[in-house]
Amino acid sequence: MENRLFTTKTPQGSRRLLAALACIVLLASLLAQVISSAGGRIKVENITIDSRGATLSADLYYPAGTDDEDSIPGLIVAHGAGVTKGNMRGIAEEMARRGFVVLNVNGYATGLSEMPVYDEQDMGILDYQTFSTPSGIYDALTFLRTLNFVDKERICLIGHSQGSMRTGMAAMMDCGYLSFNDIMINVLYDTFGESFTLEEIAMDADALAAQRLEPAEMALYEHLKEENRAAYDAMVKAVVLIGTTAANAGPMSTVTVAGHEVQRNCQVNKCVILGDYDTFNLSYHTDENIKAAMHITGDIPSDEWLILDDLNATSTSAGNIYQTSVLDAPELQQAIQDRATWISFFHPETHSRNFFSSATTMDIAKYCEQVLQYNGGELGGADASPVDASDVRFFAREFLNGIAMIAMIAMLVPLAALLYHTGFFAACTGKNEAVIAGTGSGRFWINNCIAAVVGFGAIYYVNTIFAPGLPSPALLPLFPSWWLTPIFLVVVAAVGVVQLVVYGVLDKKAGRNGFAGLNINIGVVNVLKTLLASLILLTAAYFSLTVIKYLFNQDFRFWMTAFEEMKAEHWALMIGFFCTMFVQYLVIGAAQNYPLKSRLPLWAENIVAVLSNSVGVWVCCLINILMLQSSGVVFSNWTSSYGFLLFVPITVYVTRRLYQVTRSIWLGAAVNSLLISWMMISTIGYNIYFAQNFVSNFFNI
């Protein structure tokens, strides 16, 4: 064994294994950057925006070689609650491939973004509500407009879930509810003292002005019209609202036109994309306020342009977006210019699949192409290089990020072996050899079957919990979806306690002590040394993130499992989250590493352990997918828990391998608790007001 090239049994083998895994991390990240940057044709900058004494972190995408003579449509991408801009990265990359300027933003108090004293709606400190704030999207819009190469008349906001609420709020703040004709009627009313009946305010303002104004007044009217038109055209042109019912920018609002109160839609072109298996889908289809805003009474059409006429409370179809080009539809062009269109898309997806979906991404690409008349250049232009809407490639980058993440986790094992080969940490190695419990391999397979059943039951129970309704205490202030992880661990650990009691009783009767092999009693000093070793491993893992971030602008992620950068104060938060999970991981580690006899080699036992502890979670997800697609019935709600599909096998692997390196369950429990704390803190974001403090202001990390 000691002569093997890659082995944790020797320092030399551990170094080789560590180097090989580090190379995989670097290579996968390099290839991921090739996809992210389209082979260097897209420039991606990590930027910070400070509009109100708090920095917003964002990624800015634009074509390489862009200068201030260019005029390119701009997009802002907003993530939902409990996630970061990393989850929207695929959509941002795909739109950047089509030549758009894209700003992918971390909302205030998420990721590396700070929380201001007051946000765009003067909310903060005592009255902060995470679901009632633009959370930096309007500030990001203000910044985007400062870029000389952005076409200020072609800007679209794209948001998922809570991000769509934020974009809706930003659109309301920017666009309001007065049509351009309403604005000019009010000019006649306020500036020239003209009065109008309710019927007259529906008439053309220019025609009314020509009838009523003197030549000198008409000249002033034309001047004011030019000013107002420029301001109107510079408002946000469109919003893409993913995974919600357009509650913010959708329903009509009461406005005053020439002294009369009337109902108007928000003056922005609206696109709504929903999953068939999303709870918001049902309310969208049955919401009479939404239908009233669309001026329809029947079913909401899919993929079909609606041109809205608020004056007459009617709407007309302008054709299927995939069959009708805006270049061949002058009426649709004018409606888009007047911000009077609405289109809806529906797909057989769940809420958290929307931002990880080729179908949704295709719809966004097609919609932005049509509403902004741009795709690799001006739509229909001779020098344009359009990318077909169905050409979606970000999954390959996501896969490579996932490979890098798994390699990073695997690196911790040979690094731990190197630490435990040193004199300082060698004393932390368990002294008792494992005493194989049981006769034959029956108990080994029973144990793994129990693990599969428990995993299924634990994730099913977790998915019955409405995460946003859980508390956010001041010491653990993240968005409440973080609760799902320790609750899952408590269920698994509770069953683990029962298993350990049964094993202990059976082995005591047989004259064996299976607990001795777990080396729980290694002494207080060695426990503290083990905690130090776990911190060293976490530091190494975080260092590898900074390297690939610096070299390739990549991180460790796959879908909803990710490890991202953290601010200085986040490290202090880790203490609380570490403590909520450490005991559970100790119990789980004891149950998973209790020495049971099998006829398999060690590597095969590890594979069985990872699979048996993960298969219940995977099967639960598979059953849900099959039931949704066959009958539309939700078996298990995975909105906040898709990350379990990957982090469960990762933590089982860490538990098993670090026990085998150290012959003790302490290091595996500590490392897993730190890893999951890092994952949650860096990707979830705050749910309560969390002010800037000395730590974050002092340290530039």
Side-chain angles (χ1 to χ4, degrees):
M1 178 68 71
E2 287 72 13
N3 295 325
R4 287 172 52 188
L5 192 61
F6 300 106
T7 177
T8 56
K9 296 289 186 180
T10 65
Q12 296 85 354
S14 296
R15 292 190 193 98
R16 296 188 195 103
L17 184 56
L18 180 62
L21 291 168
C23 288
I24 293 174
V25 169
L26 292 172
L27 179 60
S29 300
L30 182 151
L31 294 175
Q33 176 61 356
V34 171
I35 298 170
S36 291
S37 67
R41 294 189 296 276
I42 298 170
K43 186 173 182 179
V44 188
E45 297 179 357
N46 304 128
I47 66 170
T48 56
I49 306 164
D50 197 332
S51 296
R52 54 189 70 248
T55 56
L56 279 171
S57 67
D59 298 328
L60 179 64
Y61 300 74
Y62 55 92
T66 295
D67 59 40
D68 59 6
E69 297 297 318
D70 292 311
S71 184
I72 306 171
L75 311 176
I76 293 178
V77 179
H79 60 82
V83 295
T84 66
K85 63 181 172 63
N87 291 78
M88 301 297 285
R89 185 171 185 170
I91 292 173
E93 288 173 353
E94 291 301 331
M95 300 314 297
R97 284 182 58 224
R98 288 155 176 83
F100 293 95
V101 176
V102 183
L103 189 63
N104 188 17
V105 185
N106 264 337
Y108 283 131
T110 303
L112 298 185
S113 290
E114 299 169 336
M115 183 172 281
V117 177
Y118 295 103
D119 70 2
E120 301 100 316
Q121 291 185 329
D122 295 327
M123 183 188 301
I125 305 180
L126 299 178
D127 58 351
Y128 176 77
Q129 296 291 329
T130 189
F131 288 108
S132 304
T133 169
S135 193
I137 300 305
Y138 190 78
D139 286 340
L141 172 62
T142 302
F143 166 79
L144 188 67
R145 285 172 168 153
T146 68
L147 301 179
N148 292 336
F149 49 81
V150 171
D151 186 343
K152 312 307 184 289
E153 296 186 2
R154 291 189 288 178
I155 292 178
C156 176
L157 309 181
I158 304 169
H160 173 259
S161 192
Q162 186 181 349
S164 74
M165 300 178 191
R166 294 167 175 171
T167 57
M169 291 179 192
M172 286 191 297
M173 294 172 66
D174 194 65
C175 303
Y177 287 80
L178 290 171
S179 70
F180 185 68
N181 196 70
D182 292 334
I183 293 170
M184 296 315 298
I185 290 288
N186 278 342
V187 167
L188 291 171
Y189 180 78
D190 295 328
T191 305
F192 298 100
E194 296 291 330
S195 60
F196 302 94
T197 65
L198 186 60
E199 291 74 20
E200 285 176 326
I201 66 172
M203 297 174 62
D204 181 68
D206 291 348
L208 291 170
Q211 292 173 6
R212 301 188 182 198
L213 301 183
E214 298 296 331
E217 292 176 320
M218 195 65 190
L220 177 58
Y221 174 85
E222 291 294 342
H223 174 72
L224 294 174
K225 177 183 176 182
E226 184 178 346
E227 286 185 344
N228 281 285
R229 188 76 224 188
Y232 185 82
D233 289 342
M235 297 188 309
V236 167
K237 194 157 194 174
V239 290
V240 178
L241 309 172
I242 312 167
T244 53
T245 62
N248 292 317
M252 303 180 78
S253 182
T254 300
V255 293
T256 302
V257 181
H260 300 281
E261 290 190 345
V262 294
Q263 292 283 302
R264 295 287 187 266
N265 268 294
C266 184
Q267 294 299 293
V268 66
N269 295 291
K270 290 178 280 290
C271 169
V272 175
I273 305 176
L274 280 168
D276 294 335
Y277 313 134
D278 190 341
T279 54
F280 289 107
N281 185 283
L282 178 61
S283 56
Y284 182 70
H285 282 282
T286 57
D287 191 329
E288 293 303 321
N289 290 325
I290 295 292
K291 291 186 179 182
M294 292 182 181
H295 308 305
I296 63 173
T297 56
D299 294 337
I300 298 175
S302 181
D303 301 7
E304 183 178 323
W305 289 105
L306 292 179
I307 298 177
L308 310 181
D309 181 354
D310 289 347
L311 296 177
N312 298 300
T314 61
S315 63
T316 57
S317 172
N320 185 290
I321 190 172
Y322 288 101
Q323 298 170 2
T324 304
S325 171
V326 68
L327 298 180
D328 301 325
E331 184 181 6
L332 178 57
Q333 283 191 43
Q334 186 59 51
I336 290 172
Q337 186 66 18
D338 294 338
R339 294 171 167 75
T341 67
W342 193 319
I343 191 168
S344 307
F345 298 93
F346 308 106
H347 299 294
E349 296 172 352
T350 55
H351 187 72
S352 296
R353 267 288 274 136
N354 290 145
F355 60 80
F356 197 69
S357 159
S358 57
T360 294
T361 306
M362 181 175 70
D363 290 339
I364 296 170
K366 190 66 177 179
Y367 178 75
C368 290
E369 171 196 273
Q370 294 290 298
V371 79
L372 302 179
Q373 296 188 38
Y374 197 88
N375 185 349
E378 298 299 328
L379 194 61
D383 58 347
S385 301
V387 177
D388 191 86
S390 62
D391 185 358
V392 177
R393 302 181 181 180
F394 78 85
F395 291 104
R397 189 265 309 151
E398 196 85 11
F399 175 77
L400 289 164
N401 289 157
I403 293 296
M405 177 175 64
I406 292 171
M408 178 273 288
I409 298 296
M411 281 171 52
L412 303 182
V413 177
L415 182 57
L418 287 173
L419 287 177
Y420 275 65
H421 279 118
T422 65
F424 183 80
F425 289 105
C428 302
T429 304
K431 300 300 187 295
N432 297 317
E433 294 290 342
V435 178
I436 303 299
T439 57
S441 59
R443 198 195 294 181
F444 171 83
W445 291 108
I446 291 173
N447 188 65
N448 284 286
C449 289
I450 291 173
V453 174
V454 171
F456 182 93
I459 194 63
Y460 182 84
Y461 171 69
V462 161
N463 288 347
T464 65
I465 300 171
F466 179 64
L470 296 172
S472 294
L475 292 176
L476 304 169
L478 298 187
F479 188 76
S481 57
W482 73 266
W483 279 98
L484 301 184
T485 298
I487 291 173
F488 177 89
L489 295 178
V490 165
V491 174
V492 176
V495 177
V497 169
V498 175
Q499 289 177 270
L500 290 170
V501 169
V502 172
Y503 296 155
V505 170
L506 293 175
D507 288 338
K508 185 176 181 180
K509 289 181 178 180
R512 296 184 295 264
N513 183 6
F515 288 106
L518 298 176
N519 289 293
I520 299 172
N521 184 20
I522 61 174
V524 175
V525 172
N526 288 333
V527 168
L528 294 176
K529 285 184 177 181
T530 299
L531 293 177
L532 175 61
S534 70
L535 289 174
I536 293 173
L537 295 180
L538 177 69
T539 302
Y542 194 84
F543 177 75
S544 67
L545 172 67
T546 62
V547 170
I548 64 171
K549 191 72 177 177
Y550 178 77
L551 293 176
F552 310 119
N553 198 31
Q554 300 297 316
D555 55 17
F556 298 120
R557 71 172 48 256
F558 186 81
W559 195 0
M560 292 182 70
T561 305
F563 298 90
E564 301 180 8
E565 294 175 292
M566 296 203 301
K567 293 183 66 63
E569 67 267 22
H570 292 166
W571 295 95
L573 276 179
M574 288 190 73
I575 298 173
F577 288 98
F578 174 89
C579 292
T580 64
M581 293 177 287
F582 183 56
V583 174
Q584 292 99 299
Y585 271 120
L586 273 176
V587 174
I588 292 169
Q592 290 176 351
N593 290 294
Y594 193 89
L596 302 177
K597 185 176 182 180
S598 80
R599 297 184 177 90
L600 299 174
L602 186 59
W603 63 266
E605 280 191 4
N606 289 335
I607 292 176
V608 170
V610 170
L611 292 178
S612 63
N613 284 273
S614 307
V615 70
V617 177
W618 298 342
V619 168
C620 185
C621 185
L622 179 61
I623 292 174
N624 194 56
I625 292 172
L626 295 175
M627 288 187 64
L628 286 173
Q629 293 186 350
S630 63
S631 62
V633 176
V634 176
F635 172 74
S636 180
N637 181 11
W638 284 79
T639 298
S640 301
S641 54
Y642 282 114
F644 286 75
L645 296 171
L646 196 52
F647 95 65
V648 169
I650 284 175
T651 54
V652 174
Y653 172 81
V654 169
T655 296
R656 292 281 298 181
R657 291 294 290 122
L658 291 185
Y659 168 76
Q660 289 154 12
V661 166
T662 67
R663 292 210 302 271
S664 169
I665 60 174
W666 287 95
L667 185 62
V671 170
N672 274 333
S673 300
L674 289 173
L675 286 175
I676 300 305
S677 297
W678 173 19
M679 182 181 72
M680 293 193 303
I681 292 171
S682 67
T683 62
I684 291 179
Y686 298 125
N687 189 57
I688 60 176
Y689 189 83
F690 197 87
Q692 299 172 51
N693 56 41
F694 166 80
V695 175
S696 61
N697 294 331
F698 186 85
F699 292 101
N700 188 34
I701 54 174

